[in-house]
Amino acid sequence: LRRSPGEVCFPGGKSEAIDKDEIDTALREAKEEVGLQPEKVEVICRLVPGIDKMNHLVTPVVGFIEDTFQAIPNPDEVSDVFVVPLEYFVKPLNYKTLPYKTSSGYFRRMHCFIYDDHKNKMSFKIWGLTAHFAVFLALVIFGKRPTFEVDYDLDNLISSSESNFMNLYASLYERKKSNL
């Protein structure tokens, strides 16, 4: 990618006029980036959005695909495709927390995972918004406490994630308003 070269991320990108919603955008981008045909995806839900480092709203779309899917990476956008078991994001082998300050001045923790893909003899650093979404999805799916600290009330996962997002969005909005 031109904007974040070398970083690990899920397929995705900006919506286009032909997209009727976030699901259309996600399916179109997955087809463009890794050759995943939209009809081969059973869309399950959208997760609570996040805000990327450029202050863009990012809405994750979750779906099931066959485990036989073979990615065909678009060389203009993707250098490698790899699979990580979802459970890795609640029970990782190589994890650390990175403190960071949001653009609105809040201190948060950033998850950072190193995943060793033994099959291809490569290691991948998964961090930032990608790690955030993977952790949240793993928490929802498995319903168990991770081996590390998270910024959620695990007994009220959905509502606490919505509150976290709304607080982040409100502080970003206030910051933009004060700069006018």
Side-chain angles (χ1 to χ4, degrees):
L1 297 175
R2 288 178 301 279
R3 188 185 51 178
S4 301
E7 291 186 13
V8 170
C9 62
F10 293 112
K14 291 176 76 170
S15 63
E16 294 183 1
I18 61 170
D19 301 332
K20 66 180 181 213
D21 58 18
E22 297 95 344
I23 293 171
D24 272 5
T25 301
L27 294 173
R28 179 184 49 75
E29 288 285 344
K31 181 179 179 184
E32 290 174 8
E33 293 177 11
V34 296
L36 179 59
Q37 298 302 314
E39 64 275 6
K40 299 288 186 179
V41 180
E42 180 185 351
V43 174
I44 302 302
C45 67
R46 292 175 237 198
L47 296 179
V48 174
I51 299 174
D52 72 9
K53 61 188 170 190
M54 303 298 290
N55 293 327
H56 297 118
L57 187 67
V58 179
T59 303
V61 174
V62 180
F64 289 126
I65 61 172
E66 293 291 328
D67 62 356
T68 56
F69 169 68
Q70 294 293 312
I72 303 168
N74 175 342
D76 293 333
E77 298 190 45
V78 178
S79 62
D80 294 294
V81 175
F82 61 101
V83 175
V84 180
L86 188 58
E87 192 170 25
Y88 193 81
F89 297 102
V90 289
K91 289 174 49 180
L93 298 175
N94 191 341
Y95 171 84
K96 64 182 172 184
T97 252
L98 304 172
Y100 80 101
K101 188 177 180 181
T102 67
S103 60
S104 48
Y106 287 101
F107 281 95
R108 308 278 311 232
R109 74 182 95 224
M110 183 182 303
H111 305 293
C112 181
F113 301 86
I114 304 298
Y115 181 73
D116 294 318
D117 180 357
H118 298 292
K119 178 181 166 191
N120 297 310
K121 296 183 175 72
M122 297 177 78
S123 289
F124 297 96
K125 180 180 178 181
I126 306 165
W127 62 290
L129 202 53
T130 302
H132 167 81
F133 289 143
V135 167
F136 183 74
L137 182 60
L139 293 171
V140 169
I141 297 291
F142 295 114
K144 61 184 177 183
R145 297 192 179 280
T147 58
F148 50 88
E149 293 293 318
V150 292
D151 294 324
Y152 301 114
D153 173 353
L154 295 173
D155 296 321
N156 298 296
L157 184 59
I158 302 299
S159 62
S160 72
S161 70
E162 290 169 343
S163 292
N164 286 355
F165 170 73
M166 292 307 291
N167 290 337
L168 178 62
Y169 187 80
S171 64
L172 185 64
Y173 176 78
E174 286 302 315
R175 185 167 171 252
K176 281 184 177 180
K177 203 165 83 172
S178 69
N179 288 336
L180 296 177

PDB file of all heavy atoms in Angstrom, residues 110-123:
ATOM      1  N   MET A 110      -2.004  -0.162  23.050  1.00  0.00           N
ATOM      2  CA  MET A 110      -2.094  -0.726  21.710  1.00  0.00           C
ATOM      3  C   MET A 110      -1.583  -2.161  21.783  1.00  0.00           C
ATOM      4  O   MET A 110      -0.499  -2.409  22.309  1.00  0.00           O
ATOM      5  CB  MET A 110      -1.241   0.074  20.723  1.00  0.00           C
ATOM      6  CG  MET A 110      -1.351  -0.425  19.306  1.00  0.00           C
ATOM      7  SD  MET A 110      -0.293   0.483  18.157  1.00  0.00           S
ATOM      8  CE  MET A 110      -0.839   2.153  18.387  1.00  0.00           C
ATOM      9  N   HIS A 111      -2.378  -3.082  21.272  1.00  0.00           N
ATOM     10  CA  HIS A 111      -1.969  -4.483  21.235  1.00  0.00           C
ATOM     11  C   HIS A 111      -0.961  -4.679  20.111  1.00  0.00           C
ATOM     12  O   HIS A 111      -1.102  -4.116  19.029  1.00  0.00           O
ATOM     13  CB  HIS A 111      -3.175  -5.394  20.986  1.00  0.00           C
ATOM     14  CG  HIS A 111      -4.280  -5.205  21.957  1.00  0.00           C
ATOM     15  ND1 HIS A 111      -4.165  -5.525  23.298  1.00  0.00           N
ATOM     16  CD2 HIS A 111      -5.531  -4.726  21.812  1.00  0.00           C
ATOM     17  CE1 HIS A 111      -5.293  -5.263  23.912  1.00  0.00           C
ATOM     18  NE2 HIS A 111      -6.142  -4.765  23.035  1.00  0.00           N
ATOM     19  N   CYS A 112       0.039  -5.497  20.387  1.00  0.00           N
ATOM     20  CA  CYS A 112       1.038  -5.822  19.375  1.00  0.00           C
ATOM     21  C   CYS A 112       1.343  -7.321  19.462  1.00  0.00           C
ATOM     22  O   CYS A 112       1.814  -7.803  20.496  1.00  0.00           O
ATOM     23  CB  CYS A 112       2.303  -4.997  19.592  1.00  0.00           C
ATOM     24  SG  CYS A 112       3.571  -5.326  18.356  1.00  0.00           S
ATOM     25  N   PHE A 113       1.046  -8.030  18.401  1.00  0.00           N
ATOM     26  CA  PHE A 113       1.269  -9.470  18.336  1.00  0.00           C
ATOM     27  C   PHE A 113       2.332  -9.752  17.290  1.00  0.00           C
ATOM     28  O   PHE A 113       2.356  -9.111  16.243  1.00  0.00           O
ATOM     29  CB  PHE A 113      -0.008 -10.193  17.889  1.00  0.00           C
ATOM     30  CG  PHE A 113      -1.193  -9.971  18.784  1.00  0.00           C
ATOM     31  CD1 PHE A 113      -2.012  -8.867  18.606  1.00  0.00           C
ATOM     32  CD2 PHE A 113      -1.485 -10.860  19.806  1.00  0.00           C
ATOM     33  CE1 PHE A 113      -3.115  -8.657  19.419  1.00  0.00           C
ATOM     34  CE2 PHE A 113      -2.584 -10.656  20.628  1.00  0.00           C
ATOM     35  CZ  PHE A 113      -3.400  -9.557  20.439  1.00  0.00           C
ATOM     36  N   ILE A 114       3.176 -10.712  17.575  1.00  0.00           N
ATOM     37  CA  ILE A 114       4.083 -11.235  16.557  1.00  0.00           C
ATOM     38  C   ILE A 114       3.595 -12.651  16.280  1.00  0.00           C
ATOM     39  O   ILE A 114       3.489 -13.475  17.194  1.00  0.00           O
ATOM     40  CB  ILE A 114       5.552 -11.262  17.022  1.00  0.00           C
ATOM     41  CG1 ILE A 114       6.026  -9.872  17.461  1.00  0.00           C
ATOM     42  CG2 ILE A 114       6.449 -11.848  15.926  1.00  0.00           C
ATOM     43  CD1 ILE A 114       5.999  -8.809  16.388  1.00  0.00           C
ATOM     44  N   TYR A 115       3.252 -12.893  15.036  1.00  0.00           N
ATOM     45  CA  TYR A 115       2.766 -14.216  14.651  1.00  0.00           C
ATOM     46  C   TYR A 115       3.793 -14.869  13.741  1.00  0.00           C
ATOM     47  O   TYR A 115       4.169 -14.305  12.706  1.00  0.00           O
ATOM     48  CB  TYR A 115       1.413 -14.125  13.943  1.00  0.00           C
ATOM     49  CG  TYR A 115       0.897 -15.487  13.555  1.00  0.00           C
ATOM     50  CD1 TYR A 115       0.412 -16.356  14.523  1.00  0.00           C
ATOM     51  CD2 TYR A 115       0.942 -15.914  12.236  1.00  0.00           C
ATOM     52  CE1 TYR A 115      -0.042 -17.617  14.185  1.00  0.00           C
ATOM     53  CE2 TYR A 115       0.494 -17.176  11.884  1.00  0.00           C
ATOM     54  CZ  TYR A 115       0.007 -18.020  12.864  1.00  0.00           C
ATOM     55  OH  TYR A 115      -0.426 -19.277  12.527  1.00  0.00           O
ATOM     56  N   ASP A 116       4.249 -16.045  14.147  1.00  0.00           N
ATOM     57  CA  ASP A 116       5.202 -16.803  13.345  1.00  0.00           C
ATOM     58  C   ASP A 116       4.442 -17.780  12.463  1.00  0.00           C
ATOM     59  O   ASP A 116       3.788 -18.702  12.967  1.00  0.00           O
ATOM     60  CB  ASP A 116       6.190 -17.558  14.239  1.00  0.00           C
ATOM     61  CG  ASP A 116       7.083 -16.617  15.024  1.00  0.00           C
ATOM     62  OD1 ASP A 116       7.551 -15.620  14.439  1.00  0.00           O
ATOM     63  OD2 ASP A 116       7.303 -16.856  16.229  1.00  0.00           O
ATOM     64  N   ASP A 117       4.510 -17.540  11.172  1.00  0.00           N
ATOM     65  CA  ASP A 117       3.885 -18.417  10.185  1.00  0.00           C
ATOM     66  C   ASP A 117       4.928 -19.465   9.816  1.00  0.00           C
ATOM     67  O   ASP A 117       5.789 -19.229   8.973  1.00  0.00           O
ATOM     68  CB  ASP A 117       3.462 -17.581   8.969  1.00  0.00           C
ATOM     69  CG  ASP A 117       2.801 -18.401   7.881  1.00  0.00           C
ATOM     70  OD1 ASP A 117       2.711 -19.636   8.013  1.00  0.00           O
ATOM     71  OD2 ASP A 117       2.369 -17.797   6.882  1.00  0.00           O
ATOM     72  N   HIS A 118       4.872 -20.599  10.509  1.00  0.00           N
ATOM     73  CA  HIS A 118       5.888 -21.644  10.319  1.00  0.00           C
ATOM     74  C   HIS A 118       5.822 -22.254   8.923  1.00  0.00           C
ATOM     75  O   HIS A 118       6.853 -22.620   8.363  1.00  0.00           O
ATOM     76  CB  HIS A 118       5.741 -22.725  11.388  1.00  0.00           C
ATOM     77  CG  HIS A 118       5.946 -22.200  12.766  1.00  0.00           C
ATOM     78  ND1 HIS A 118       7.175 -21.761  13.228  1.00  0.00           N
ATOM     79  CD2 HIS A 118       5.075 -21.993  13.786  1.00  0.00           C
ATOM     80  CE1 HIS A 118       7.060 -21.329  14.458  1.00  0.00           C
ATOM     81  NE2 HIS A 118       5.790 -21.452  14.833  1.00  0.00           N
ATOM     82  N   LYS A 119       4.613 -22.322   8.375  1.00  0.00           N
ATOM     83  CA  LYS A 119       4.434 -22.909   7.038  1.00  0.00           C
ATOM     84  C   LYS A 119       5.252 -22.145   6.000  1.00  0.00           C
ATOM     85  O   LYS A 119       5.910 -22.736   5.151  1.00  0.00           O
ATOM     86  CB  LYS A 119       2.947 -22.892   6.674  1.00  0.00           C
ATOM     87  CG  LYS A 119       2.625 -23.424   5.311  1.00  0.00           C
ATOM     88  CD  LYS A 119       1.130 -23.330   5.044  1.00  0.00           C
ATOM     89  CE  LYS A 119       0.824 -23.523   3.582  1.00  0.00           C
ATOM     90  NZ  LYS A 119      -0.551 -23.189   3.254  1.00  0.00           N
ATOM     91  N   ASN A 120       5.218 -20.807   6.069  1.00  0.00           N
ATOM     92  CA  ASN A 120       5.934 -19.981   5.095  1.00  0.00           C
ATOM     93  C   ASN A 120       7.243 -19.402   5.637  1.00  0.00           C
ATOM     94  O   ASN A 120       7.877 -18.594   4.976  1.00  0.00           O
ATOM     95  CB  ASN A 120       5.015 -18.850   4.614  1.00  0.00           C
ATOM     96  CG  ASN A 120       3.804 -19.397   3.892  1.00  0.00           C
ATOM     97  OD1 ASN A 120       3.935 -20.227   3.000  1.00  0.00           O
ATOM     98  ND2 ASN A 120       2.624 -18.962   4.294  1.00  0.00           N
ATOM     99  N   LYS A 121       7.587 -19.796   6.860  1.00  0.00           N
ATOM    100  CA  LYS A 121       8.837 -19.340   7.505  1.00  0.00           C
ATOM    101  C   LYS A 121       8.949 -17.818   7.514  1.00  0.00           C
ATOM    102  O   LYS A 121       9.958 -17.247   7.120  1.00  0.00           O
ATOM    103  CB  LYS A 121      10.042 -19.971   6.823  1.00  0.00           C
ATOM    104  CG  LYS A 121      10.092 -21.486   6.975  1.00  0.00           C
ATOM    105  CD  LYS A 121      11.346 -22.060   6.342  1.00  0.00           C
ATOM    106  CE  LYS A 121      11.497 -23.535   6.577  1.00  0.00           C
ATOM    107  NZ  LYS A 121      10.620 -24.405   5.880  1.00  0.00           N
ATOM    108  N   MET A 122       7.852 -17.175   7.967  1.00  0.00           N
ATOM    109  CA  MET A 122       7.826 -15.716   8.068  1.00  0.00           C
ATOM    110  C   MET A 122       7.203 -15.325   9.400  1.00  0.00           C
ATOM    111  O   MET A 122       6.434 -16.090   9.976  1.00  0.00           O
ATOM    112  CB  MET A 122       6.996 -15.112   6.933  1.00  0.00           C
ATOM    113  CG  MET A 122       7.546 -15.382   5.546  1.00  0.00           C
ATOM    114  SD  MET A 122       6.478 -14.731   4.256  1.00  0.00           S
ATOM    115  CE  MET A 122       6.898 -13.009   4.321  1.00  0.00           C
ATOM    116  N   SER A 123       7.534 -14.122   9.855  1.00  0.00           N
ATOM    117  CA  SER A 123       6.911 -13.557  11.049  1.00  0.00           C
ATOM    118  C   SER A 123       6.195 -12.277  10.660  1.00  0.00           C
ATOM    119  O   SER A 123       6.678 -11.525   9.805  1.00  0.00           O
ATOM    120  CB  SER A 123       7.957 -13.244  12.121  1.00  0.00           C
ATOM    121  OG  SER A 123       8.464 -14.435  12.664  1.00  0.00           O
TER     122      SER A 123
END
